[in-house]
Amino acid sequence: MLYRENGQFKTSYAADQQIFPIAQDRWAILGILVFAFIGIPLLGDEYLMRAILIPFLILSLAALGVNILVGFCGQITLGAGAFMAVGAYAAYNFHIRIEGLPLLVSILLGGITSALVGIVFGIPSLRVRGLYLAVATLAAQFFTDWVFLRIPWFTNNASSGSVSVSNLQIMGWEIITPFDKYMFCLVWLTVFALLAKNMTRSAIGRQWMAIRDMDVAAEVIGIRPLFAKLSAFAVSSFFVGTAGALWGFIHLSSWEPAAFSVDRSFQLLFMVIIGGLGSIMGSFFGAAFIVTLPIALNQFLPAIGGLFGVTISTAGVSHAELIIFGSLIIFFLIKEPHGIARLWSTGKEKLRLWPFPH
Amino acid sequence: MGFFIETLIGGLMAGMLYSLVALGFVLIYKASGVFNFAQGAMLLFAALAMARFSAWIPEWLGIDSLWLANVIAFFIAGALMYLVAWLIERLVLRPLVNQEGATLLMATLGIAYVLEGLGTSIFGTAIYKIDVGMPKEPVLILEGIFEGGLLINKEDFVAALIAAVLVALLTLFFQKTVTGRALRAVADDHQAAQSIGIPLNHIWVIVWFVAGIVALVAGVIWGSKLGVQFSLATVALRGLPVVILGGLTSIPGAIIGGLIIGVGEKLSEVYLGPMIGGGIEIWFAYQLALVFLLFRPQGLFGEKIIDRV
Amino acid sequence: MSREIGEVILDLKNVSLAFGGVKALTDISFDVREHEIRAIIGPNGAGKSSMLNVINGVYRPQQGEIILRGKHFSKMNPYKAARAGISRTFQNIALFKGMNVIDNMMTGRNLKIRSNLIQQALWWGPARREELEHRAKVEEVIDFLEIQHIRKTPVGRLPYGLQKRVDLGRALAMEPSILLLDEPMAGMNVEEKQDMCRFVLDINDQFGTTIVLIEHDMAVVMDISDRVVVLDYGRKIGDGLPDEVRANPEVISAYLGASH
Ligand SMILES: Nc1ncnc2c1ncn2[C@@H]1O[C@H](COP(=O)(O)OP(=O)(O)O)[C@@H](O)[C@H]1O
Ligand SMILES: [Mg+2]
């Protein structure tokens, strides 16, 4: 089938404002969903789920959140890891302190707490912009690092902030196997990706983008920077916070503050920049890239070394990983500063003209 | 009273080092519009080179003098930093010219990874010593004025002195030399500077090299104090609040900001720390800078700019 | 023309504005009547844009007050001004570069949005209904400005003339009662200028919108404006009907003195 929108005339604004106006896109998304919900559970093995798919799903959710703030609203953050931590530890506290609170509610409350903290740390964005703001967001990172390491109340008096959860279940469904975990994360991500897409295509999304592109003009149009920016911080932190809760509860089961260090924050920012700023799709691309790259390097480097008769030690692999990872990031920024999503859409545009370019 | 002043002096001395690190950020930002997150990795790389070569050289050349070995190692490390600057200019800055701030920032994170990976694979991952003969024992001064005198850490004092000298030299370099003036022209307007024939690429190499030397000196000072190890790379993160406080483009801002942060950190550690728990100096500086920004978003010495429309 | 010029709805009294040492406006007073086209002219740097910026609160004057429909403001802010029905275009186009034409114009509907964030996230009920209503309104403006063919184009890809038109469209989407236009025809070719003139007159005529217009082209100004105010170095040197202003010796000398 050719990729074309010719002939798909829209007879109403409602049809034109569908979530995916082009029929082929709708089919593609449907296909991906079917594959994710049915195909992968049938085909995938436990290792694949545990090592790649579950981290991918959760980090995609976090990347979505970061993209809302950085890509859509134009407020650079270097502190996203902090909000994962807040989400995870808040959910943990709700989980252990309130007897019988359903798991879903704990995670959502973790997200809401993270949103509130996000609003507080978003206040500097009303006064400073750009790189200054980026540095200011590091404050959130170092502050939360300290809080969960040093204030025992938040970690139920666990030493050095390491906590664990067990017996996770939702209405009798026990989440134990990688398959359960995969399904849980997949459903969660699907729902929230849909919500994110809806926000970015309605009034609130336009407010964010207006602030990003030209804040003075946005204000003149009647957009309040205070509301637009802080709502972006809140929504973003909510997404990132629930991702943190999922990361702790579902992926790790037991964790300490180092799981959400400044490295995690950088990693999330890489995802959205490599994936594509201001693109929902890009968040997924970025997460996929960052999750699979180290695993791929880990597999291939020793193999390549073997070809040349060199054995590369584990330490050697991890150093080489750093070097290759860093170089790839630079390479990517040089070749396609707008991210994988841009490659994707130029590809589609070409396809649209194919086979008769004119 | 004596204790307070002691803390204050300790803060000022630590602050001088922050000023030095902040100056590294400011130099690069002014000349190439890049917020250089690789500053910490450069510091680690330089310190590793210094530590390792000062240990290797006596073995290789059979020199006995520690002093001579240190000097040779310093020059080798300096030369390496030049190489690093040159490579960064060729491979990263040149292809990324005119990109947005966020993209450049990400690129420097990439540089940081590469440098950390390279540094540890060439020089190893253990904890190394740098021994440049820094005095270790504390001294008592002003015993006549304060009861019991003031206890001053000689090492910190020497470190602050070196930092101060370097800061002064850099300021002079910026204000008085031809290269310095060309640098300032580049900072003000890239295109205009290029059109009057200032070779942008050459300037960038110089600036990154100078920042590399700053990193080397800071690395030597910190390294001799704490030992050279991976965590040294995070020292630069401590310089960041200084930069937002003082402004990315202001040299006096970096100096005064560094002193303020140094003092603020020490005072908070001593007086606030016992109340809310240790280790607060890591975030306290950031909060201090943030609160300050809320009242004066243009930074210490920045002028208030109203957007033109 | 069928329109009737009404009472004074916008009145600036003794406004002074300085940036550091630069005096952009010195003790300026002038008024705007309902439904009229009021032009502001003057050489570059005279303070024309600053005046619009004071009216809708982008710049805060050090002195003076603004009276809008009888309400006194010592300082406006852009949000309040927008609420009060003032919208504007910009001398250097200030479109939202990352969005397409429709979305740019939809932002102009922002003040009329009633649904909340949750409803929008769920694309549910009021949010969805509103989206359609506002889209219909925006399409009317698109038809009015004859830009149907570019509705889905990212604004960054449009030629200058069309960007100016979209800028106007975004302001119109607000359904303003007062429209401030900062050099809407600058840099346009003759044909584009004629189109723009026609739009300005039609807006004024069909919707009764009061228009404050900065323009350099004297022929255009004399042709379409009801009253003209002249600025030079931040001071007002003339104010009145086009013919009066043209005959004012101070204005003539300011214009002969300043080359452009
Ligand atoms: N945001 C600003 N910051 C500093 N100076 C400004 C700003 N806006 C305008 N000015 C100064 O005010 C004066 C008037 O400018 P402007 O109102 O733009 O003039 P015009 O629109 O008549 O050409 C000029 O000298 C200009 O440099
Ligand atoms: Mg102007």
Side-chain angles (χ1 to χ4, degrees):
Chain A
M1 188 171 53
L2 294 177
Y3 186 79
R4 235 5 83 89
E5 59 182 321
N6 303 2
Q8 301 177 20
F9 292 112
K10 305 295 186 309
T11 48
S12 69
Y13 298 138
D16 196 35
Q17 287 179 331
Q18 287 178 81
I19 189 161
F20 300 107
I22 300 176
Q24 285 87 341
D25 283 344
R26 283 198 293 278
W27 286 109
I29 296 290
L30 195 69
I32 292 171
L33 284 177
V34 168
F35 182 67
F37 275 96
I38 300 169
I40 288 182
L42 289 178
L43 303 172
D45 62 8
E46 295 213 339
Y47 170 78
L48 187 72
M49 295 205 180
R50 206 159 6 94
I52 298 181
L53 292 175
I54 294 172
F56 162 71
L57 292 175
I58 299 176
L59 291 177
S60 295
L61 180 66
L64 266 180
V66 175
N67 216 336
I68 284 174
L69 187 60
V70 184
F72 285 93
C73 196
Q75 314 294 307
I76 308 175
T77 172
L78 293 172
F83 299 103
M84 281 186 88
V86 171
Y89 282 103
Y92 170 77
N93 276 291
F94 286 114
H95 183 69
I96 56 156
R97 285 174 202 279
I98 303 177
E99 196 67 34
L101 191 70
L103 176 63
L104 282 181
V105 179
S106 296
I107 296 178
L108 285 174
L109 285 173
I112 290 170
T113 312
S114 169
L116 295 175
V117 177
I119 291 175
V120 173
F121 280 102
I123 291 172
S125 73
L126 305 175
R127 303 286 280 169
V128 294
R129 285 194 264 206
L131 297 171
Y132 288 91
L133 178 65
V135 174
T137 57
L138 275 175
Q141 181 72 50
F142 294 122
F143 185 65
T144 54
D145 278 357
W146 178 84
V147 164
F148 296 124
L149 205 57
R150 300 293 183 113
I151 300 185
W153 187 86
F154 288 109
T155 52
N156 202 21
N157 300 318
S159 67
S160 69
S162 71
V163 298
S164 62
V165 291
S166 52
N167 297 331
L168 300 178
Q169 51 165 314
I170 297 167
M171 291 182 284
W173 174 38
E174 290 188 51
I175 304 174
I176 301 169
T177 65
F179 168 78
D180 299 331
K181 294 179 173 185
Y182 169 80
M183 279 316 255
F184 181 70
C185 293
L186 182 62
V187 172
W188 192 283
L189 177 65
T190 310
V191 170
F192 278 90
L194 183 68
L195 297 183
K197 178 80 190 169
N198 281 343
M199 279 188 271
T200 56
R201 68 191 177 121
S202 45
I204 187 71
R206 288 191 296 265
Q207 289 193 15
W208 293 337
M209 291 187 273
I211 289 284
R212 171 195 70 190
D213 288 345
M214 183 69 69
D215 51 0
V216 180
E219 212 178 340
V220 164
I221 289 285
I223 292 170
R224 278 168 302 171
L226 181 104
F227 178 79
K229 287 180 183 170
L230 294 188
S231 66
F233 268 95
V235 171
S236 163
S237 308
F238 178 86
F239 273 65
V240 176
T242 52
L246 292 182
W247 191 259
F249 278 54
I250 309 291
H251 180 51
L252 299 176
S253 321
S254 65
W255 71 94
E256 44 190 275
F260 310 108
S261 67
V262 69
D263 289 324
R264 175 75 63 205
S265 300
F266 290 160
Q267 194 190 42
L268 289 172
L269 194 55
F270 280 135
M271 286 182 194
V272 298
I273 289 191
I274 288 180
L277 286 170
S279 154
I280 299 281
M281 195 70 131
S283 314
F284 295 104
F285 288 139
F289 183 80
I290 299 281
V291 168
T292 50
L293 183 66
I295 295 173
L297 289 179
N298 226 320
Q299 301 282 331
F300 288 126
L301 278 182
I304 292 174
L307 281 183
F308 297 97
V310 199
T311 29
I312 304 180
S313 64
T314 338
V317 169
S318 78
H319 298 158
E321 236 178 77
L322 272 180
I323 299 173
I324 294 175
F325 185 70
S327 319
L328 269 177
I329 283 166
I330 296 170
F331 175 79
F332 237 104
L333 292 172
I334 293 171
K335 285 293 163 212
E336 188 47 78
H338 300 286
I340 304 175
R342 176 63 66 87
L343 285 178
W344 177 255
S345 64
T346 9
K348 280 210 302 194
E349 216 153 280
K350 289 218 177 96
L351 201 58
R352 200 175 284 189
L353 298 176
W354 188 85
F356 309 111
H358 37 227
Chain B
M1 190 60 198
F3 180 64
F4 176 77
I5 294 190
E6 220 170 85
T7 317
L8 203 65
I9 294 179
L12 284 174
M13 292 191 305
M16 214 51 236
L17 283 179
Y18 290 145
S19 302
L20 187 61
V21 173
L23 208 57
F25 284 109
V26 170
L27 280 178
I28 287 187
Y29 187 78
K30 265 180 100 94
S32 50
V34 177
F35 194 116
N36 180 24
F37 248 88
Q39 192 79 16
M42 282 165 67
L43 194 150
L44 172 69
F45 188 82
L48 274 173
M50 174 78 191
R52 298 302 276 154
F53 279 110
S54 65
W56 287 336
I57 281 168
E59 282 175 37
W60 292 346
L61 305 180
I63 312 175
D64 281 335
S65 157
L66 179 67
W67 186 84
L68 192 61
N70 272 330
V71 171
I72 297 176
F74 189 87
F75 276 100
I76 295 179
L80 270 180
M81 292 322 283
Y82 185 82
L83 187 67
V84 167
W86 187 80
L87 285 174
I88 288 176
E89 195 279 323
R90 269 334 269 268
L91 300 177
V92 185
L93 295 183
R94 208 180 282 186
L96 279 175
V97 70
N98 293 334
Q99 288 292 345
E100 277 178 38
T103 307
L104 293 168
L105 178 106
M106 287 287 102
T108 63
L109 276 172
I111 296 175
Y113 286 130
V114 173
L115 278 179
E116 283 167 11
L118 273 179
T120 43
S121 44
I122 299 173
F123 301 115
T125 44
I127 304 180
Y128 303 104
K129 264 194 353 220
I130 291 182
D131 183 5
V132 285
M134 291 282 252
K136 295 285 180 191
E137 71 286 2
V139 287
L140 278 175
I141 57 166
L142 298 178
E143 276 168 290
I145 301 176
F146 298 102
E147 199 183 325
L150 298 180
L151 195 64
I152 298 290
N153 189 331
K154 250 199 213 167
E155 182 180 24
D156 287 348
F157 183 74
V158 174
L161 205 65
I162 296 174
V165 169
L166 194 57
V167 167
L169 281 179
L170 284 172
T171 315
L172 278 179
F173 165 74
F174 228 93
Q175 307 290 354
K176 299 282 185 242
T177 64
V178 178
T179 317
R181 262 182 253 134
L183 261 166
R184 288 215 317 254
V186 172
D188 291 339
D189 188 341
H190 285 198
Q191 254 137 29
Q194 223 165 1
S195 68
I196 57 167
I198 294 175
L200 214 49
N201 299 327
H202 186 59
I203 294 283
W204 283 344
V205 176
I206 294 181
V207 174
W208 280 73
F209 172 55
V210 171
I213 296 299
V214 169
L216 174 57
V217 173
V220 170
I221 293 173
W222 255 301
S224 87
K225 197 169 159 177
L226 310 169
V228 179
Q229 53 187 316
F230 203 75
S231 64
L232 209 56
T234 57
V235 162
L237 290 178
R238 307 278 288 274
L240 286 179
V242 178
V243 182
I244 51 173
L245 193 68
L248 270 169
T249 52
S250 159
I251 291 180
I255 299 170
I256 307 291
L259 296 178
I260 293 178
I261 294 287
V263 169
E265 245 182 51
K266 273 280 179 319
L267 289 179
S268 71
E269 197 182 310
V270 169
Y271 292 101
L272 217 57
M275 277 189 283
I276 56 175
I280 61 170
E281 71 274 6
I282 295 169
W283 58 263
F284 185 82
Y286 279 89
Q287 309 298 355
L288 194 70
L290 273 193
V291 170
F292 179 85
L293 276 187
L294 289 184
F295 295 100
R296 217 184 134 78
Q298 65 269 40
L300 272 176
F301 296 107
E303 263 181 54
K304 194 165 183 181
I305 292 176
I306 298 167
D307 290 324
R308 268 165 211 263
V309 287
Chain C
M1 272 189 239
S2 59
R3 75 205 162 93
E4 292 254 317
I5 293 185
E7 296 294 303
V8 169
I9 54 168
L10 174 66
D11 197 0
L12 269 72
K13 286 220 153 79
N14 309 100
V15 169
S16 295
L17 169 76
F19 298 99
V22 181
K23 285 185 179 164
L25 297 172
T26 312
D27 200 28
I28 302 272
S29 300
F30 88 116
D31 60 26
V32 179
R33 294 171 175 277
E34 193 157 21
H35 306 312
E36 80 173 332
I37 298 183
R38 185 76 151 116
I40 303 175
I41 62 172
N44 274 328
K48 305 181 297 297
S49 298
S50 299
M51 194 120 108
L52 292 198
N53 283 325
V54 166
I55 293 176
N56 78 336
V58 176
Y59 292 168
R60 310 286 174 91
Q62 279 83 18
Q63 266 168 42
E65 63 174 346
I66 302 165
I67 303 162
L68 181 63
R69 292 196 193 86
K71 268 215 239 156
H72 293 247
F73 298 89
S74 70
K75 283 180 177 122
M76 206 40 136
N77 81 39
Y79 181 73
K80 263 195 275 181
R83 283 231 92 115
I86 302 181
S87 79
R88 72 174 283 185
T89 66
F90 297 85
Q91 179 173 0
N92 305 308
I93 303 166
L95 288 172
F96 305 128
K97 290 263 158 34
M99 300 155 83
N100 66 19
V101 170
I102 288 187
D103 284 342
N104 262 278
M105 294 174 67
M106 288 289 277
T107 58
R109 307 295 297 168
N110 185 60
L111 278 174
K112 302 195 160 58
I113 300 276
R114 293 287 159 268
S115 61
N116 61 32
L117 201 153
I118 308 259
Q119 290 164 331
Q120 292 174 23
L122 297 172
W123 198 252
W124 171 73
R128 188 176 176 161
R129 213 162 42 237
E130 266 188 336
E131 201 72 9
L132 290 178
E133 282 166 23
H134 292 305
R135 172 71 187 270
K137 184 72 208 170
V138 162
E139 290 288 344
E140 278 174 30
V141 179
I142 287 179
D143 289 342
F144 177 83
L145 292 175
E146 298 156 14
I147 46 176
Q148 297 89 340
H149 58 296
I150 53 164
R151 39 156 94 75
K152 297 247 169 112
T153 314
V155 291
R157 285 199 210 154
L158 295 174
Y160 179 81
L162 280 177
Q163 291 201 14
K164 282 246 160 193
R165 218 186 273 193
V166 176
D167 197 8
L168 177 62
R170 184 178 63 184
L172 277 184
M174 287 174 73
E175 298 181 80
S177 56
I178 303 177
L179 182 59
L180 315 176
L181 303 174
D182 197 344
E183 307 200 11
M185 296 160 217
M188 287 187 160
N189 63 33
V190 178
E191 200 183 331
E192 287 171 329
K193 257 188 198 178
Q194 278 170 353
D195 281 341
M196 193 52 93
C197 264
R198 183 162 53 84
F199 293 136
V200 171
L201 286 171
D202 283 352
I203 293 164
N204 180 246
D205 197 37
Q206 291 181 18
F207 313 130
T209 312
T210 308
I211 291 175
V212 183
L213 169 78
I214 297 177
E215 185 45 52
H216 272 303
D217 188 325
M218 276 307 179
V220 170
V221 170
M222 296 301 159
D223 213 28
I224 69 174
S225 53
D226 296 300
R227 289 190 300 155
V228 182
V229 55
V230 192
L231 300 183
D232 192 23
Y233 292 113
R235 292 174 187 282
K236 186 166 97 169
I237 59 169
D239 191 354
L241 301 175
D243 288 336
E244 292 169 13
V245 165
R246 195 171 7 209
N248 181 333
E250 217 182 324
V251 174
I252 295 170
S253 80
Y255 265 79
L256 290 178
S259 56
H260 46 245

